Amino acid sequence: HVQLVESGGGSVEAGGSLRLSCAASGYSYIVNCMGWYRQGIGEEREGVAAIFTSDDSTYYADSVQGRFTISQNNAKDMVYLQMDSLKFEDTAVYYCAVEVPCMGWSMPAPKASDFDHWGQGTQVTVS
């Protein structure tokens, strides 16, 4: 079965950077969609970024556009989220998600229901 393991969370001062990693295993499909979601205390889960392996197209929430970058490795079994210029409001638990196989995501923005598999989450705290 599909397994996702996130790493790279932690505490950082505002303006700093963190890089989240997600290792995916348990599937053989090449075409997949991978995304990062986050959920702050008392808030709904929010889509942050997503990437479609078929054409490397990406999605970013307006709140992170220009500050966060999503990427994959060549084997398409790792997804990264480079987070720069972090703000206090970026504080949340960040979840990796994957959909395999994947033909794309909802428009204009991917929904959590577009993804079937989720990691356990990693805490990001910006002070």
Side-chain angles (χ1 to χ4, degrees):
H1 65 284
V2 178
Q3 287 189 310
L4 303 174
V5 179
E6 302 107 332
S7 61
S11 297
V12 65
E13 292 186 349
S17 298
L18 282 174
R19 188 188 194 215
L20 304 183
S21 299
C22 176
S25 61
Y27 64 90
S28 58
Y29 292 103
I30 296 176
V31 178
N32 63 62
C33 294
M34 300 189 82
W36 288 96
Y37 282 72
R38 67 186 180 187
Q39 188 166 18
I41 296 175
E43 298 179 356
E44 294 185 356
R45 191 166 295 193
E46 172 193 23
V48 175
I51 188 165
F52 184 39
T53 49
S54 178
D55 59 8
D56 288 333
S57 58
T58 57
Y59 160 84
Y60 293 98
D62 289 343
S63 57
V64 307
Q65 181 74 46
R67 299 188 299 120
F68 290 11
T69 304
I70 189 170
S71 62
Q72 281 191 327
N73 64 344
N74 289 335
K76 311 298 185 184
D77 59 3
M78 293 287 296
V79 65
Y80 309 97
L81 186 67
Q82 177 66 40
M83 305 185 294
D84 298 319
S85 302
L86 282 161
K87 304 177 180 180
F88 175 77
E89 50 265 40
D90 294 320
T91 296
V93 177
Y94 283 70
Y95 298 90
C96 174
V98 67
E99 175 70 1
V100 287
C102 180
M103 296 296 105
W105 52 65
S106 301
M107 296 299 290
K111 302 176 182 178
S113 57
D114 290 337
F115 298 88
D116 280 345
H117 308 284
W118 294 82
Q120 80 286 354
T122 184
Q123 177 70 46
V124 171
T125 302
V126 184
S127 60

